[in-house]
Amino acid sequence: MTIDRTSLRWNGWGPAAQPDALPKESPAWQWIADALGINTPLPETPATPLEKCTLPASGLDGETRLELERIVGANQVHTGDYERAFHARGKSYHDLLHVRAGNLSNAPDAVVYPRSEDETQRLVEFAAARDIVLVPFGGGSSVVGGVTGREQGEKRLCITVDTTLMTSLLSIDETAMTATAQAGIYGPALDKALASQGVRLGHYPQSFEYSTLGGWVAARGAGQNSIRYGRADKWLVSAHVATPSGLWRTEATPGSAAAPNLNQMVAGSEGTLGIITEATFKVHSLPDAEDYRGYLFRSFAEGADAIRRIVQSEIPTAMLRLSDADETFFFRTLGGIGKEHGLKDNLAEAYLRLRGYADRPCALIVGLEGSAANVSHARDRVARIMSACGGLHVGRSPGTSWKAGRFHGPMVRDPMMDHGLGVDTLETSTFWSNIQTLHSAVREAIDTSIRETLDDPSARGIVMAHISHAYPDGASLYFTFVFPRRLDRGLEGEVAQWLTIKRAASDAIAAHNGTISHHHGVGTDHAPWLGQEKGPVGMQMLGAVKQSLDPKGVMNPGKVLGDGIGN
Ligand SMILES: Cc1cc2nc3c(=O)[nH]c(=O)nc-3n(C[C@H](O)[C@H](O)[C@H](O)COP(=O)(O)OP(=O)(O)OC[C@H]3O[C@@H](n4cnc5c(N)ncnc54)[C@H](O)[C@@H]3O)c2cc1C
């Protein structure tokens, strides 16, 4: 079962029909405007409807269309406006600036939906022979420019290959605890199929509902419970990839010393080497017990120290998520707006004041999953470390409400963009010894660069961050920032505003020893910083692999190895 494209927003996030996540009459708008130093009413900035957008004519000629139809079937080759608009770009803030403004100049000439590995391989070989560009597309949830159709200056025919008709769970090896599925299966469908056999992969990115197995591997992502279930490069056992040089089957053994592990070339390849048609991955028994709960810390440093100690003590947790003081304040205030403030809340506040947690606290959510005995044992050990590090237990409700809304946060972005506000996120990781330095440097870079882009001296951004994934040696930092959009200079001015902020943040990450991406990938947006991270020899190796598998450069050109930020 796949998701009908027309049931989804082509220029936003989630279902086409969905309740407004931030209704017009909500008092939250005024609070956000005040926090941003905006003294005028927020403007109405709705997205351009499709019928008013400029779509370049498809360059697909009749003969090529016939050839494509011979490979994938007549019903699987699309050149209609909706299909081309849906596949023009991904879901980054930068992507949304373009599509909401009605600029669909990146739309591919056609979208094709292969139904099998054989069709995909024939399609890739056909494209290579004809020098036709192919852009692999799963859920299209890339936030780094990974699925942009025609890159600027690309003259060749451009076809997006949508994998979402390849949705079968092919097999489960209950003895080895691995499973194999076709790459185009969406998160919920995969989860359901695995759960019916008593197992799960456990990969839950925030985009889970609208992203695919192939996209998770290709972008080398991490789910919210990555501490327990691992990132994509950890749970991937093997893959089949349709490349211009033939079908590539990576080796599948639990451990091997037979030269470097080529699965690591698939994870993170972002469609530049070929199209992943199926993947084999590790699975886990469904947990008997779950425990999600909250703690408060007086400082980000104390909370980070608690996470480090828990992970280094090898206590089996599924998730540890620490918000900095700004993020804690933002979500607590936003969540409380419009709600009646009763006696219970007053007592809770008085208690926090008394214990010294009222002044800019940092919230930490702990998630535990597994057998009842393991969860209970882990809960006690976690509680001891939290307490030793200054954490205050605040009960289950922050944990359960975080879990219930774990995929809903992004629904707020469209209404914000409809009211002149920009919202973007970026992420990195570093060693524990550097985490506070990197947090401060990137926070400062985003805050300063937002102010630089605004004329009004009282206007500013809201910048917040959390630790989202933890390892024994370090952790990731995930930044979210909200800012008043530069609406006065059109699309070009808005892209320039975004570029100023993005460059400042990325330069700060590179200067302070963070990775340019912990889990979103490289796409076009992070490509200019990749060389600094991999070094000249590393870049030469990546280029040589690309050249060897895809000598004509038809597979997702401009991504990962390009330099096209802002395209
Ligand atoms: C709201 C939101 C929240 C997000 N949260 C997370 C998160 O928590 N964790 C995380 O890791 N990421 C997150 N992301 C980023 C994104 O969802 C991930 O990168 C995801 O793995 C992409 O999956 P997809 O199926 O949508 O792939 P797409 O966006 O379609 O593609 C991503 C990249 O992989 C390539 N690709 C896709 N399918 C294939 C294939 N079969 N073979 C070869 N190449 C392929 C594409 O060409 C592109 O370069 C989030 C994005 C959004 C919009």
Side-chain angles (χ1 to χ4, degrees):
M1 251 302 275
T2 189
I3 301 180
D4 174 8
R5 292 308 196 198
T6 57
S7 71
L8 296 177
R9 289 191 175 175
W10 66 274
N11 58 357
W13 188 243
Q18 56 179 279
D20 193 343
L22 213 48
K24 214 172 164 185
E25 58 285 358
S26 167
W29 288 111
Q30 189 56 52
W31 179 78
I32 294 170
D34 290 346
L36 293 169
I38 300 174
N39 304 316
T40 49
L42 290 175
E44 299 282 331
T45 49
T48 313
L50 184 54
E51 55 280 12
K52 293 208 172 135
C53 294
T54 332
L55 253 170
S58 165
L60 186 67
D61 60 89
E63 192 206 323
T64 311
R65 183 178 191 118
L66 267 180
E67 301 258 23
L68 289 171
E69 287 179 356
R70 259 185 223 121
I71 298 171
V72 296
N75 293 336
Q76 317 310 341
V77 180
H78 299 265
T79 49
D81 286 357
Y82 189 87
E83 282 288 342
R84 292 178 60 222
F86 187 95
H87 293 88
R89 282 180 172 273
K91 301 297 181 195
S92 69
Y93 174 69
H94 175 233
D95 289 330
L96 296 190
L97 281 181
H98 281 279
V99 296
R100 288 173 59 95
N103 174 18
L104 295 175
S105 56
N106 300 84
D109 293 294
V111 181
V112 300
Y113 288 76
R115 293 159 299 182
S116 66
E117 180 169 283
D118 177 56
E119 286 182 3
T120 311
Q121 181 60 44
R122 282 163 54 211
L123 186 62
V124 171
E125 285 175 16
F126 171 73
R130 297 288 185 88
D131 205 13
I132 296 171
V133 164
L134 294 184
V135 179
F137 193 106
S141 67
S142 169
V143 280
V144 292
V147 290
T148 308
R150 180 185 299 286
E151 294 289 344
Q152 260 174 34
E154 177 62 67
K155 297 277 182 282
R156 294 175 289 182
L157 199 68
C158 172
I159 294 178
T160 290
V161 183
D162 190 311
T163 60
T164 59
L165 289 187
M166 296 191 282
T167 60
S168 298
L169 175 60
L170 299 170
S171 62
I172 297 189
D173 181 339
E174 286 166 12
T175 311
M177 291 298 273
T178 62
T180 303
Q182 287 185 304
I185 189 165
Y186 273 100
L190 179 61
D191 213 39
K192 194 169 165 205
L194 291 171
S196 71
Q197 309 288 315
V199 295
R200 68 163 50 150
L201 163 58
H203 189 81
Y204 300 111
Q206 198 182 36
S207 56
F208 174 73
E209 296 165 291
Y210 307 108
S211 58
T212 63
L213 173 64
W216 300 342
V217 172
R220 204 174 160 200
Q224 291 164 337
N225 293 7
S226 67
I227 302 180
R228 175 169 162 83
Y229 299 103
R231 339 163 17 100
D233 49 352
K234 289 281 182 287
W235 51 247
L236 180 68
V237 173
S238 65
H240 289 189
V241 189
T243 82
S245 301
L247 187 68
W248 173 25
R249 294 183 180 88
T250 63
E251 67 267 50
T253 44
S256 166
N261 181 346
L262 296 183
N263 286 310
Q264 297 302 324
M265 294 303 304
V266 179
S269 57
E270 298 188 32
T272 60
L273 302 180
I275 301 177
I276 302 164
T277 55
E278 65 176 60
T280 299
F281 46 88
K282 294 174 186 164
V283 293
H284 302 251
S285 299
L286 291 175
D288 300 332
E290 284 186 354
D291 188 300
Y292 282 75
R293 58 183 65 223
Y295 286 83
L296 282 184
F297 283 84
R298 294 188 186 92
S299 72
F300 192 60
E302 281 181 357
D305 201 40
I307 295 186
R308 179 183 63 78
R309 290 219 231 161
I310 290 167
V311 182
Q312 289 179 347
S313 304
E314 299 180 18
I315 302 172
T317 57
M319 194 204 71
L320 290 155
R321 181 191 164 106
L322 173 70
S323 295
D324 68 8
D326 293 302
E327 188 172 281
T328 305
F329 177 72
F330 184 83
F331 286 112
R332 282 178 87 193
T333 311
L334 204 61
I337 286 174
K339 291 190 184 141
E340 217 166 284
H341 204 77
L343 178 66
K344 212 170 135 205
D345 302 298
N346 290 337
L347 286 174
E349 264 174 35
Y351 177 70
L352 290 184
R353 254 198 315 277
L354 191 74
R355 297 285 313 267
Y357 290 87
D359 184 27
R360 294 178 56 75
C362 297
L364 194 159
I365 308 286
V366 186
L368 306 172
E369 295 186 358
S371 70
N374 281 351
V375 166
S376 161
H377 184 60
R379 186 173 50 227
D380 293 345
R381 292 184 66 198
V382 163
R384 278 200 290 278
I385 293 181
M386 293 292 187
S387 168
C389 294
L392 179 73
H393 180 223
V394 286
R396 282 193 171 216
S397 90
T400 44
S401 60
W402 174 84
K403 187 145 184 273
R406 68 196 295 186
F407 306 131
H408 299 162
M411 305 296 183
V412 176
R413 183 168 60 165
D414 292 345
M416 284 199 170
M417 291 191 78
D418 288 342
H419 288 90
L421 303 180
V423 189
D424 200 3
T425 63
L426 51 90
E427 34 76 62
T428 177
S429 81
T430 192
F431 294 107
W432 286 118
S433 42
N434 188 44
I435 204 100
Q436 302 300 329
T437 307
L438 187 63
H439 173 249
S440 304
V442 178
R443 210 208 150 283
E444 176 68 22
I446 298 172
D447 188 44
T448 308
S449 58
I450 289 176
R451 286 175 202 262
E452 274 168 21
T453 67
L454 301 170
D455 285 343
D456 179 354
S458 61
R460 55 189 172 267
I462 301 170
V463 186
M464 47 200 165
H466 61 261
I467 288 181
S468 53
H469 305 266
Y471 308 91
D473 50 354
S476 69
L477 286 167
Y478 187 99
F479 294 86
T480 303
F481 43 104
V482 184
F483 51 98
R485 286 166 58 187
R486 274 315 293 245
L487 297 163
D488 52 332
R489 297 185 193 156
L491 176 59
E492 212 176 298
E494 290 218 64
V495 171
Q497 179 188 31
W498 170 75
L499 277 172
T500 300
I501 306 165
K502 184 75 183 170
R503 285 201 178 108
S506 301
D507 286 347
I509 287 172
H512 291 87
N513 303 319
T515 172
I516 196 59
S517 175
H518 170 265
H519 58 266
H520 285 163
V522 177
T524 47
D525 295 357
H526 294 148
W529 288 271
L530 191 66
Q532 190 168 337
E533 194 163 325
K534 300 287 182 203
V537 178
M539 290 303 280
Q540 196 182 318
M541 283 169 64
L542 289 176
V545 172
K546 166 84 176 163
Q547 175 65 25
S548 144
L549 286 179
D550 177 24
K552 286 192 179 157
V554 297
M555 295 307 311
N556 216 3
K559 319 301 183 333
V560 185
L561 297 174
D563 56 2
I565 185 174
N567 270 349

